[in-house]
Amino acid sequence: MRVLILSTSIGTGHVRAAQAIEAAFKSQYSDVLVRHEDSLSFANAAFRKVYQQTYIDLVANAPDLLGLAYEYADRDWDKLHYGMAFERLNIGKLSQLLKEFKPDAIVCTHSLPADMVSWLLCRKEISCQLAVVITDFDLHAVWLCHHYSRYYVAIDETKEHLVELGFERSRVVVSGIPIDPIFAQAKDQRQMRIKHNLVPELPTIFVSAGGVGMGPIEQILEQLRKLHEPSNIVVACGANSELLDKVRCAAERHDDSQHSISGIGFTTEMDEYMVASDLIIGKPGGLTSSEALAKGLVSVIVRPIPGQEERNADHLVEEGVAIRCNNLPVLAYKIDALLNNSERLKTMRGHASALARPNSAAHIAFDICQLIEANQPVAVHPVDHVCERDWRDTFA
């Protein structure tokens, strides 16, 4: 079997999801040739820079505008967001890869390559199974493809959403969002605290700035110093070395504090820090939230990005695994209240563990092998089959 996994390097979640599926294949199926590629690496440099930088700039400087664009584009089968011509103008190199590698299945963890592959299937330029992995808890219309074999979704509600839109129930699988298989390994909390130089007896709060290292981390840290009870505070700064320096300098300035504050940069031991923790503070990205659930962590959601993170937040709060802090000045108050209510915290951690799907990547890898062996025809969604037209018709 030959499996091609296509991610898109916009943010880090889509790539991490792809890496998780790749790891699951390599650890369990030695007879499967699996290859992971960034779909943007096949686009021209100008397109790649605009695609990546526009998102980062909007997140950093105009999140409300990003939210408006997200809501505007969420219109089922609207050709304004489906199969845009500028995407298909960059499809040449990717098409060549597919024809040379000849995959039995293509797994997409971002809507951009999913749309491209669906279009190539429609034009009969390739022949293979197409699996689409949605990396948030909610469904956005940009993920809709006319040609598909599987959709892998996080929760039952998202499956029902797709079914209501006319997708075949048997082809929509509630797998959870794929996370690194290491998150399925059981580890001891006390041992992890000792290993990472945390005070074993203290509650531990994990602050996540995401893979890129964004958000009001300094303000969050300032509020956490006001917690009544001594705590371990770990701040994960991702790839943002400047933020890491600020966190470490702040910790040194307050080394007489009752709290133990530490900053970490990029790490391959994220699962261990989560095991050591009781709470996670940050934005509810699909991957980070799924990792936290796998370790039974309660989330404290701060300033989610309008759009997909707002919707993720809604689902997490609805499931009883998260609280929201819309006003940073009351962050310490809300966390104190949660830590002082051991029954509530225990209940929420139980809900998190129940919602978790730590073996999601393995589930997806197994199902894709079954899909290839079954060799069923790719499904076609019948509504407004835009992709059969020439790309120039997008402007017609």
Side-chain angles (χ1 to χ4, degrees):
M1 296 182 185
R2 303 166 76 88
V3 176
L4 178 64
I5 306 172
L6 295 175
S7 62
T8 301
S9 54
I10 176 170
T12 60
H14 305 289
V15 175
R16 283 160 52 205
Q19 290 170 339
I21 298 170
E22 180 183 19
F25 268 113
K26 289 183 175 179
S27 66
Q28 298 179 49
Y29 304 101
S30 58
D31 57 335
V32 176
L33 178 60
V34 59
R35 179 172 175 176
H36 171 209
E37 296 284 353
D38 175 8
S39 61
L40 283 182
S41 67
F42 298 94
N44 66 65
F47 174 84
R48 183 166 59 248
K49 183 175 181 179
V50 169
Y51 206 88
Q52 292 172 323
Q53 196 61 43
T54 299
Y55 177 78
I56 293 173
D57 288 344
L58 287 173
V59 169
N61 304 312
D64 289 337
L65 181 59
L66 181 63
L68 289 172
Y70 183 90
E71 295 298 333
Y72 175 77
D74 193 20
R75 295 182 289 173
D76 303 337
W77 304 114
D78 190 323
K79 67 181 181 181
L80 287 174
H81 69 256
Y82 177 76
M84 294 298 289
F86 73 89
E87 294 178 357
R88 293 176 179 172
L89 283 170
N90 284 275
I91 206 171
K93 292 182 179 179
L94 177 60
S95 176
Q96 187 62 34
L97 166 69
L98 302 185
K99 292 172 183 176
E100 292 174 358
F101 185 64
K102 294 182 173 60
D104 296 295
I106 300 173
V107 186
C108 297
T109 62
H110 189 274
S111 59
L112 171 64
D115 174 70
M116 289 179 167
V117 173
S118 175
W119 192 57
L120 290 171
L121 285 168
C122 177
R123 295 170 65 86
K124 296 182 172 54
E125 294 187 26
I126 60 172
S127 176
C128 64
Q129 304 293 333
L130 170 58
V132 182
V133 182
I134 298 178
T135 53
D136 285 298
F137 292 89
D138 209 65
L139 172 68
H140 187 278
V142 76
W143 288 96
L144 303 182
C145 294
H146 285 94
H147 298 261
Y148 67 99
S149 303
R150 281 289 190 277
Y151 268 89
Y152 296 104
V153 300
I155 56 177
D156 292 326
E157 180 179 325
T158 306
K159 176 173 181 173
E160 293 305 315
H161 190 169
L162 281 167
V163 171
E164 285 297 314
L165 294 179
F167 288 83
E168 295 181 29
R169 182 176 293 277
S170 63
R171 292 179 183 260
V172 183
V173 176
V174 182
S175 62
I177 297 171
I179 56 177
D180 193 306
I182 199 170
F183 282 86
Q185 297 179 13
K187 298 181 180 180
D188 181 74
Q189 185 180 72
R190 181 179 177 84
Q191 290 180 1
M192 292 303 101
R193 288 179 179 176
I194 293 172
K195 176 179 177 179
H196 295 290
N197 302 313
L198 303 172
V199 182
E201 294 74 25
L202 296 184
T204 300
I205 299 170
F206 188 77
V207 183
S208 173
V212 180
M214 301 176 70
I217 302 301
E218 293 175 273
Q219 298 97 308
I220 290 173
L221 192 55
E222 190 62 35
Q223 290 301 315
L224 292 180
R225 292 197 189 95
K226 300 176 183 179
L227 291 172
H228 290 160
E229 298 298 326
S231 303
N232 296 309
I233 301 170
V234 180
V235 184
C237 302
N240 191 335
S241 58
E242 182 179 351
L243 175 61
L244 178 60
D245 290 340
K246 290 180 179 179
V247 170
R248 289 176 173 172
C249 287
E252 291 174 2
R253 287 198 307 270
H254 297 270
D255 61 358
D256 59 343
S257 167
Q258 64 175 335
H259 306 299
S260 172
I261 302 172
S262 56
I264 60 172
F266 174 80
T267 177
T268 58
E269 298 174 318
M270 187 67 75
D271 68 304
E272 296 186 354
Y273 282 103
M274 287 191 177
V275 169
S277 302
D278 299 289
L279 302 175
I280 181 170
I281 301 175
K283 300 178 183 299
L287 268 291
T288 300
S289 296
S290 297
E291 291 166 352
L293 291 173
K295 293 307 176 185
L297 284 183
V298 174
S299 296
V300 181
I301 299 169
V302 175
R303 293 187 186 175
I305 298 170
Q308 71 268 32
E309 287 191 355
E310 282 279 0
R311 296 190 186 185
N312 287 344
D314 290 342
H315 287 291
L316 294 172
V317 171
E318 182 178 322
E319 293 290 344
V321 301
I323 62 172
R324 283 192 64 161
C325 181
N326 296 322
N327 304 292
L328 280 179
V330 297
L331 179 62
Y333 163 78
K334 292 180 77 77
I335 292 177
D336 273 332
L338 188 54
L339 291 176
N340 289 331
N341 190 337
S342 59
E343 277 304 309
R344 183 188 181 197
L345 186 60
K346 180 180 179 181
T347 298
M348 293 182 74
R349 294 200 69 161
H351 289 163
S353 296
L355 188 62
R357 293 181 180 268
N359 295 301
S360 50
H363 183 183
I364 291 172
F366 173 79
D367 191 66
I368 288 171
C369 288
Q370 298 290 103
L371 179 66
I372 294 171
E373 290 179 351
N375 196 30
Q376 295 178 341
V378 174
V380 179
H381 194 284
V383 178
D384 188 23
H385 206 169
V386 177
C387 63
E388 287 185 331
R389 307 172 191 167
D390 190 272
W391 65 266
R392 287 176 290 267
D393 293 340
T394 303
F395 297 120

